Amino acid sequence: MRNNSYFVGLDVHKQVIAYCVKTASGEIVREGKMPATRAALDEWVKTLPGPWRGGMEATMFSHWIYRYLKPHAEELQMGHPARMKAITAGKNKSDKLDARTIADLLRVNLFPACFVTPAELEGLRRQMRFRQMMVQETVRFKNKTAGLWMEVGAEYEGRRLHGKRYFGELLKKNQAMIQELRPLLEFNRSQIESLATMDKQLMRLLESDGRLSGRVKALQKIEGVGPVTALTWALEVGDPKRFSSIKQAVSYCGLASALRESAGQQKRGPLSKQRNHHLQSVLIEAAKMAPRLNAKLAQVHQRASERGHKNRATVAVARKLVAYLLAADRAFFATQVELKPAA
């Protein structure tokens, strides 16, 4: 069956998709470009000569195309971005050559496929990432508010600055010096309150979702793991079975150093940039608070602090958190499988 299939390489961009269709022997059947629209994909699928297997690089534009084309293909895979860059980084590079290369990799079974988040979790993950962006914007507005007060030399208590009642008192106390800053301060305050309201709504929706509630509760049984950490882990990881070991999960979370080995010498650099940065940032923040709530993590932090810098201790706690989360997640999935009735 595989010899009768056609192999399709798709080089995906925002507005255009370059494609190349090859036979198992490597002969080019057809190639070209088409608009990156649903209507164009519908017309293109009708022109394919027979059953096909496809591959594309993972970009921000690829997921909807992947979902749209998957029902029409025998097999459709998403390529690992970092590995795809290494493969296609030749002297001559074009959309046509990239599509040909992807088709060839599929043909010889060397395509570097990556994990694709299940469709039922993709929308929820998008909401969680949007929530993370809102938190970052809230911090920016809070920092700007503090900066505006400092510019006019106003005295304030940092811990109480963003409280609604205290903020109103400051406006009344410093009326003479902040006439020009008042509209800016009020705008900043309104944005902070609006973002905080949206944050609460999103968290309430995500925590109550039936596809996540049981899993999140199981993860929160770990002392030091709150709803944000549990939700981020569940939505970014998807299926814990994708990790064959704790080491692989730690690397995915961006908590492992980059390794460079040459002539028998190994060198470790800083934390690798090839990671899930959404999960990395949440785990690092959780690792700063978790030792206060979890005695075992407190011991990990203490031992690591005695050997080096406090930042290294935080990373050590984050790695241990990954091990706990992975174990709890696997146990939850195993329980779900056991509860399913036999066919």
Side-chain angles (χ1 to χ4, degrees), residues 123-135 138 194-209 212 216 227-228 231 235:
L124 299 175
R125 185 183 68 173
R126 189 177 295 113
Q127 291 180 2
M128 194 65 194
R129 289 184 175 184
F130 187 83
R131 184 257 171 196
Q132 188 175 16
M133 181 200 69
M134 289 196 305
V135 171
T138 301
S194 177
L195 289 169
T197 302
M198 291 178 66
D199 181 17
K200 290 179 182 178
Q201 291 176 351
L202 275 178
M203 287 298 296
R204 194 180 303 117
L205 286 172
L206 289 168
E207 287 184 84
S208 61
D209 192 283
L212 290 174
V216 168
V228 173
L231 281 168
L235 293 172

Side-chain angles (χ1 to χ4, degrees), residues 207 212-222 225 230 328 332:
E207 287 184 84
L212 290 174
S213 57
R215 188 177 178 186
V216 168
K217 288 178 181 177
L219 293 172
Q220 283 188 263
K221 290 180 180 179
I222 304 170
V225 173
F332 172 77

Side-chain angles (χ1 to χ4, degrees), residues 286-304:
K288 294 177 181 178
M289 297 293 295
R292 304 178 187 179
L293 305 170
N294 189 312
K296 292 183 179 179
L297 292 177
Q299 293 175 3
V300 172
H301 187 273
Q302 183 177 358
R303 287 196 300 266

Side-chain angles (χ1 to χ4, degrees), residues 242-271:
R242 61 188 290 199
F243 301 126
S244 59
S245 65
I246 296 174
K247 184 178 180 180
Q248 189 177 3
V250 167
S251 177
Y252 176 77
C253 296
L255 302 173
S257 302
L259 173 63
R260 297 289 182 269
E261 183 176 0
S262 179
Q265 294 184 349
Q266 292 186 354
K267 294 182 179 180
R268 286 283 184 179
L271 294 182

Side-chain angles (χ1 to χ4, degrees), residues 40-243:
L41 289 173
D42 286 334
E43 294 299 321
W44 174 76
V45 167
K46 296 176 184 177
T47 66
L48 293 174
W52 59 283
R53 299 168 183 264
M56 64 181 72
E57 183 180 354
T59 68
M60 65 179 298
F61 319 115
S62 299
H63 286 76
W64 76 265
I65 298 172
Y66 175 86
R67 307 281 185 210
Y68 200 74
L69 289 179
K70 192 171 178 59
H72 302 283
E74 282 188 338
E75 182 182 9
L76 187 61
Q77 299 182 72
M78 193 89 77
H80 193 287
R83 296 178 185 175
M84 294 290 288
K85 286 180 182 178
I87 291 168
T88 58
K91 181 177 181 181
N92 297 319
K93 189 179 184 304
S94 66
D95 295 345
K96 180 189 290 187
L97 292 176
D98 287 351
R100 288 181 180 180
T101 302
I102 292 172
D104 284 332
L105 291 170
L106 289 167
R107 191 169 55 84
V108 297
N109 199 27
L110 290 175
F111 186 77
C114 67
F115 175 80
V116 180
T117 302
E120 62 271 16
L121 295 182
E122 187 175 0
L124 299 175
R125 185 183 68 173
R126 189 177 295 113
Q127 291 180 2
M128 194 65 194
R129 289 184 175 184
F130 187 83
R131 184 257 171 196
Q132 188 175 16
M133 181 200 69
M134 289 196 305
V135 171
Q136 293 171 349
E137 289 301 313
T138 301
V139 172
R140 290 181 183 179
F141 279 114
K142 287 183 176 181
N143 289 341
K144 188 60 181 177
T145 298
L148 290 171
W149 284 115
M150 286 187 283
E151 287 178 10
V152 296
E155 297 182 2
Y156 63 86
E157 295 181 38
R159 294 183 179 181
R160 300 179 60 195
L161 177 60
H162 305 296
K164 187 174 183 179
R165 181 180 299 177
Y166 183 71
F167 184 81
E169 293 175 359
L170 280 178
L171 288 178
K172 292 179 182 178
K173 187 188 301 183
N174 298 279
Q175 287 184 5
M177 66 172 65
I178 62 163
Q179 289 303 320
E180 295 180 355
L181 293 182
R182 179 178 289 274
L184 302 181
L185 290 167
E186 291 177 346
F187 173 78
N188 269 16
R189 182 65 200 175
S190 66
Q191 295 303 307
I192 292 170
E193 291 178 352
S194 177
L195 289 169
T197 302
M198 291 178 66
D199 181 17
K200 290 179 182 178
Q201 291 176 351
L202 275 178
M203 287 298 296
R204 194 180 303 117
L205 286 172
L206 289 168
E207 287 184 84
S208 61
D209 192 283
R211 291 164 291 184
L212 290 174
S213 57
R215 188 177 178 186
V216 168
K217 288 178 181 177
L219 293 172
Q220 283 188 263
K221 290 180 180 179
I222 304 170
E223 294 179 350
V225 173
V228 173
T229 305
L231 281 168
T232 303
W233 172 270
L235 293 172
E236 294 295 338
V237 168
D239 187 352
K241 294 179 182 177
R242 61 188 290 199
F243 301 126

